[in-house]
Amino acid sequence: MAGLSKRILSLVRDDVAALSPYDPNFTPCKINLSANENTYGMPPKVRAAIDAAIAATPTNRYPDPMSNELRDQIATWHHVRRENVCVGNGGDELLFNFFLAFGGPGKRLVDCPPTFTVYDIYSKMLGTSVVRCWRDEETFDIDVNALLLMARKADMVIVTSPNNPTGNVMAPEDVARLCETCPGIVLVDEAYIEFADGGCSCEGLLADYDNLVILHTYSKAFCLAGVRVGYVLAASDVIDVLGAVRQPYTADVFAQAAAQAVTSLRGVFTPTINRIRSERARLAEALSGLEGMQVWPSQGNFLLARMPEAAIVRARLRDERSILVRDFSSTQGLENCLRITVGTPEENDELVAAIGSILREVV
Ligand code: PMP
C-alpha cells in the first residue's frame, strides 16, 4: 500500500502525517501462513450453530450496543461479572479504545518491542509518547527489572503474552509486580493465550489488581478473524471508561450471534488447539533441521525463524510456491526473520520442503 499523498500530507495534522496505512502485505495464495489465523477452519458443528443463529437474527434493529448477552457468557466463562467485560470489533478496536481512554498528549506508554506494531500506530495517531523496553536480542525475554523501572512513570504499559511475533510469555508473577509498580494501567494482550501452556494467563490477577486489563480475541483459536470480535476483562470502572469512548454499535448483530454460538461450544475447539500446539513442536523441529535456520520457542500459533536471505526466501515462497508468510526482516531486532503461522500438517510439510529447497539455492 502506498504512503499518504502530498496533497493529504498538507491537509492533516503532524501526528497523522507520520502514519502509513497498516499493510498486512496480503496477496492471494494457496497456503496462507501470514496472519496467525486458525488455518484448520471452523469446526462444522460450530459453523452449523453460527449459521442457525445468524438465520434467526433480524437485521432491521440496531444491535445491543454493549453486547450484553455475550458479555454475560464471557463473564461466566472467565469467572467475572458482566461489569468486568467489554466487547469490541476485534482486539484492534479495543486497543484503539484503550489508547483513546488512557493515551493522548502528555500520556506515556511503555511497551516491549519487538512486538505487535499496532500499539505504535495508535500511539502516534493519538499523540501518546512511547518509552520502549527492548527485549533481549537473543531470547526476546523482557528484562523485568528494567521494565519495572520504566513502569513507575507510565500511564499505560502493554505486555503481549504470548508476544507477537516472538512467542514469549511473561509470567503472571512478573505481571503482578508490574501492576504493583505502575501507577497507570497495565494491559496484557493475550490474543494467543489459548495456544500457551496452562498457567500462563494473567486472568487470575484481575481480582487483586484494579489497574490490570486483559485482552482476548475470537480471531485466533476460535476461528472468527473474519467476523471481528474481541473482549477485555478489567475492573468495572475501567470498563466504564472504555464504554464511554467506544462507538456504540461496533459489534454488529451477526458478530454477536456468531460469538455467542462459539462461546457456547468453545470446548469443541480444544482438539484443534491441541493439534496446533503439537504441530508447532513438529514444525519447529523440522525447520530447525534446515541449514542456517534458527527457530525460537513459541507459546503462540506461530514461529519466529531466522534464516539467511529471509526477504528473498519470503518472496520466492510467495511467487514460486504460492505460500505466504510474514516478513519481519526489516524490523529492528528481527533482521532476517520471518514469522510463520502453524498450519495443518500438510501445509507445514509443504512449507518446510519449500524453504529447504529455496535455502539450498540461495545460500
Ligand atoms: N493483539 C495481538 C498481539 C495480535 O497479534 C492481534 C492480531 N494480529 C490482535 C491483538 C488483534 O486481533 P483482532 O483484532 O483480530 O482481535
Side-chain angles (χ1 to χ4, degrees), residues 113-132:
T115 190
F116 190 37
T117 49
V118 158
Y119 316 138
D120 245 18
I121 299 172
Y122 292 167
S123 309
K124 279 190 198 144
M125 218 182 267
L126 295 164
T128 312
S129 64
V130 183
V131 176
R132 296 184 172 87

Side-chain angles (χ1 to χ4, degrees), residues 229-244:
V229 193
Y231 57 95
V232 296
L233 307 173
S236 60
D237 55 353
V238 173
I239 298 299
D240 287 344
V241 71
L242 293 175

Side-chain angles (χ1 to χ4, degrees), residues 6-60:
K6 266 196 184 148
R7 182 174 74 91
I8 293 301
L9 286 174
S10 72
L11 292 172
V12 297
R13 55 173 213 275
D14 293 349
D15 289 348
V16 175
L19 300 171
S20 17
Y22 180 74
D23 183 3
N25 254 316
F26 181 74
T27 41
C29 58
K30 187 179 65 168
I31 299 181
N32 183 357
L33 302 177
S34 73
N36 296 345
E37 294 139 342
N38 184 335
T39 77
Y40 291 66
M42 187 60 84
K45 183 178 170 184
V46 187
R47 179 68 206 220
I50 293 173
D51 289 348
I54 286 178
T57 300
T59 59
N60 59 317

